[in-house]
Amino acid sequence: MKVLVVGTGGRDHAIAWKFAQSTRVSRVYVAHGNAGIAETAECVNLRSIEEMADFAQKERIDLTFVGPEKPLSAGITDLFESRGLPIIGPNMKASRLESSKCDAKVMMRELGIAVPEFENFSDPGKARDYIRSVGYPVVVKADGLAAGKGSLVCGSVQEAEEAVRLIMEERIFGEAGQRVDIEKRLYGRELSFFCFTDGYTIIPMVAAQDYKRARENDEGKNTGGMGAYSPHPWLDDGLVQNIMSKVAEPLIRGVREKYDMVYRGILYLGLMLVESGTEVTPYVLEINIRLGDPEAQVILPRLRTDLVDISEAITTGKLDRIQPEWDPNYRLCLIATSGRTRGKKGWYKGYPDRYKIGVPIEGVDKIGKECLVFHSGTENNDSGRLVTTGGRVLCIVSSGSTLDQARQAALSEMEKVRFEGIYYRKDIGLE
């Protein structure tokens, strides 16, 4: 069969790689990919969802799998399904769970799912008044899509007021800042929880521990992710069942029955686990409608079950017949980013701030075959040389029977990669 993967980042490279492992797949296309993905699959220059649908129809694509959230929010699933093309990902209506943090919080509150105390605002003045009135630390979130960086965690009233100014008035996240969700800052253990679902059956995946802060010791700004590892250090069967019964199952059932949303695809729950005595309450901080990046890079290599089989079960409503199998060994993802470099007009601070692109990359060909390399922001320039195009450039995924073994392998292999300003956290997996 022929598979089309939509996306350009490390997660999408991992998805394409996973499909390429399948004995059922003869060809993998990626729209529109990057230099590393081009070594795994055939990259096709399709930018709009209409172009993708036309291509899928012309090439008789058997299955399309959408990596990022933007095409889903733009209605790619609705378009493909209207043409009878099988696709993995929720439709536009269900995509509101990620494309509007404000609407998602309201829906969950109405469904009785635990969320932090919150209010939504479209007026920055009223938002500031609310911040002054609540008397507790808050998180200010842009309502719309912001590439995983739309949340500003605030330690004081002044920081929160500044966050409102930046998001709603300066529009640092663009049109995503038309509204804000202001919620009480919770303290506990954060967890990213992933599930496959066909709208009725929900199957949890193995979990990953990810690292969002730019600097070591979890300091610096939030990023799209600096690394991850799996298995998760403290997620056990009891906690999985707690999350399934209190969040995942009532959410999927609730949006179907109350809001007429049959949610099919990947469900990604951003949770804060708050303990009170012996009770653990999973509060939903956010919902994402796709696999995480870099969580996908450590979860998919552990998946022993054919992703084609799971995908077909989702599109046909037969997920209850699937029991995924997982490799017990550790996987660790270490991400190389575009760091601090000098430009013509001064210094680039580096990801997640402004960074330099077009920087030549060396040493990728020297990475050992026991490790996987997934590209996020690379291309081959006019001279055929591999260069940087993004803040997150590439990642190395190692394996090991222990977390430390996987960590040491990734660090050792990453030393072979060189480009001006390369930066990566050396404390990924250091628990």
Side-chain angles (χ1 to χ4, degrees):
M1 66 188 302
K2 294 192 284 188
V3 174
L4 172 64
V5 176
V6 176
T8 62
R11 165 195 53 223
D12 316 309
H13 192 173
I15 294 167
W17 168 84
K18 190 62 185 177
F19 278 120
Q21 308 305 302
S22 173
T23 56
R24 298 184 58 195
V25 174
S26 59
R27 201 161 188 178
V28 181
Y29 297 95
V30 180
H32 56 273
N34 60 42
I37 293 175
E39 297 178 7
T40 301
E42 183 176 338
C43 293
V44 285
N45 188 24
L46 309 171
R47 304 291 173 143
S48 71
I49 63 174
E50 289 78 15
E51 287 175 330
M52 295 172 195
D54 290 344
F55 176 84
Q57 209 159 17
K58 179 183 177 183
E59 295 295 327
R60 297 183 179 179
I61 298 297
D62 299 287
L63 176 70
T64 298
F65 195 111
V66 185
E69 63 277 12
K70 282 188 177 180
L72 293 168
S73 297
I76 188 173
T77 295
D78 308 70
L79 178 60
F80 271 59
E81 288 181 345
S82 72
R83 300 192 188 185
L85 298 166
I87 185 169
I88 297 296
N91 60 23
M92 183 186 287
K93 188 176 182 180
S95 294
R96 291 294 291 169
L97 290 171
E98 178 168 1
S99 63
S100 175
K101 296 182 184 69
C102 295
D103 289 354
K105 283 287 178 9
V106 171
M107 281 189 272
M108 284 186 282
R109 182 164 62 188
E110 291 180 349
L111 292 171
I113 295 169
V115 293
E117 293 179 32
F118 75 94
E119 291 295 337
N120 298 328
F121 297 93
S122 55
D123 182 308
K126 291 180 180 178
R128 283 188 281 265
D129 290 342
Y130 176 76
I131 287 166
R132 297 185 196 110
S133 72
V134 293
Y136 49 67
V138 300
V139 181
V140 183
K141 298 181 176 181
D143 176 53
L145 300 177
K149 298 188 286 292
S151 298
L152 299 181
V153 180
C154 307
S156 66
V157 170
Q158 291 73 25
E159 283 184 18
E161 289 184 3
E162 176 65 4
V164 168
R165 187 188 70 79
L166 290 171
I167 294 173
M168 301 192 76
E169 296 172 344
E170 292 294 320
R171 292 295 176 93
I172 61 171
F173 302 122
E175 291 307 299
Q178 285 187 345
R179 289 196 295 168
V180 290
D181 163 46
I182 300 177
E183 61 187 48
K184 183 178 182 178
R185 183 177 176 183
L186 298 181
Y187 297 88
R189 296 186 292 180
E190 281 197 67
L191 174 67
S192 298
F193 192 83
F194 298 88
C195 302
F196 298 111
T197 181
D198 61 6
Y200 294 84
T201 299
I202 313 164
I203 297 178
M205 300 185 207
V206 293
Q209 174 68 54
D210 72 322
Y211 295 74
K212 292 297 186 190
R213 297 285 186 169
R215 304 299 172 212
E216 292 176 11
N217 301 313
D218 283 333
E219 297 177 353
K221 293 184 178 180
N222 269 342
T223 71
M226 296 295 291
Y229 69 84
S230 182
H232 196 277
W234 42 260
L235 182 66
D236 57 25
D237 290 343
L239 187 51
V240 169
Q241 289 307 311
N242 185 7
I243 294 166
M244 291 293 288
S245 64
K246 292 181 179 177
V247 181
E249 290 167 356
L251 175 67
I252 293 301
R253 181 178 63 252
V255 297
R256 185 183 71 240
E257 295 177 354
K258 186 177 179 65
Y259 302 108
D260 192 29
M261 297 177 181
V262 180
Y263 185 109
R264 298 186 186 95
I266 307 298
L267 176 66
Y268 168 177
L269 300 169
L271 304 172
M272 181 69 78
L273 306 178
V274 178
E275 296 182 26
S276 178
T278 58
E279 290 289 313
V280 177
T281 301
Y283 286 83
V284 181
L285 303 182
E286 64 177 357
I287 297 174
N288 293 322
I289 56 177
R290 36 67 187 183
L291 281 166
D293 185 339
E295 294 96 336
Q297 289 93 304
V298 293
I299 289 175
L300 291 178
R302 294 189 59 206
L303 180 61
R304 286 176 170 168
T305 305
D306 196 326
L307 188 56
V308 172
D309 294 344
I310 296 173
S311 299
E312 283 185 340
I314 290 171
T315 60
T316 59
K318 297 176 180 177
L319 193 60
D320 58 339
R321 302 181 185 182
I322 296 287
Q323 291 185 320
E325 295 183 9
W326 303 93
D327 183 343
N329 282 341
Y330 281 88
R331 299 296 191 282
L332 184 139
C333 171
L334 196 60
I335 295 183
T337 68
S338 299
R340 192 168 186 265
T341 55
R342 183 183 289 277
K344 293 180 180 179
K345 298 181 179 180
W347 286 90
Y348 294 93
K349 289 183 178 180
Y351 180 78
D353 292 307
R354 190 164 166 260
Y355 50 81
K356 193 174 182 179
I357 62 172
V359 178
I361 306 168
E362 304 287 349
V364 177
D365 58 331
K366 295 181 171 59
I367 295 171
K369 300 299 182 184
E370 68 279 5
C371 289
L372 298 169
V373 181
F374 296 129
H375 291 230
S376 298
T378 66
E379 69 177 7
N380 292 311
N381 64 14
D382 293 339
S383 303
R385 194 171 187 185
L386 186 67
V387 298
T388 65
T389 61
R392 292 191 292 182
V393 177
L394 57 83
C395 71
I396 290 175
V397 178
S398 59
S399 62
S401 58
T402 66
L403 177 58
D404 186 62
Q405 188 180 72
R407 177 174 174 271
Q408 294 300 332
L411 287 168
S412 176
E413 294 302 307
M414 187 62 86
E415 289 178 359
K416 300 174 182 178
V417 180
R418 299 181 305 280
F419 58 86
E420 181 190 4
I422 183 172
Y423 173 78
Y424 53 92
R425 281 183 56 169
K426 296 180 175 64
D427 62 345
I428 305 298
L430 185 63
E431 299 293 343

